[in-house]
Amino acid sequence: MPEAKDPNAKYAEFTHSFRDPWEGEDVELTYHFAKPSKAQVKRLQDTTGRNPTQASRNLLLDTVQPEEKADLTAKMDAYPGIATSFSTALIKAVGISADLGN
């Protein structure tokens, strides 16, 4: 997967926390993501209908800070729902929202 192309990319911090009832523990995850490009958002929109989870994973892996990529991948394997949670927060931060007019 391509990483953020700009070596001077700015990364914003996104945190997600939830309770894992199977392990009986609170989970808090923090990762840093570059602002998605127009092409990355278009690719997400084009592939979401066919495979929304994979589209979300691809967007996150394309934009996560490189040194956090392996940890994010492992956490998405352990907690598949975080791909949707983080990608929703990321695309909302660039102006995409289903709440418009509601």
Side-chain angles (χ1 to χ4, degrees), residues 13-20 26-33 60 72 75-76 79-90:
E13 183 176 282
F14 289 80
T15 299
H16 179 51
S17 59
F18 57 95
R19 178 95 178 139
D20 180 338
D26 292 326
V27 177
E28 183 167 321
L29 304 170
T30 300
Y31 296 101
H32 299 82
F33 297 95
L60 296 177
L72 175 60
K75 290 297 193 278
M76 286 192 294
Y79 300 107
I82 68 169
T84 301
S85 298
F86 275 111
S87 67
T88 299
L90 189 58

Side-chain angles (χ1 to χ4, degrees), residues 38-77:
K38 289 179 188 178
Q40 289 167 326
V41 171
K42 180 170 179 10
R43 185 170 52 250
L44 173 77
Q45 292 171 326
D46 289 348
T47 58
T48 295
R50 292 186 305 270
N51 191 338
T53 301
Q54 189 61 50
S56 294
R57 284 179 66 100
N58 291 345
L59 178 67
L60 296 177
L61 293 174
D62 281 353
T63 57
V64 72
Q65 200 165 35
E67 53 270 17
E68 297 174 346
K69 191 174 203 173
D71 186 65
L72 175 60
T73 300
K75 290 297 193 278
M76 286 192 294
D77 289 342

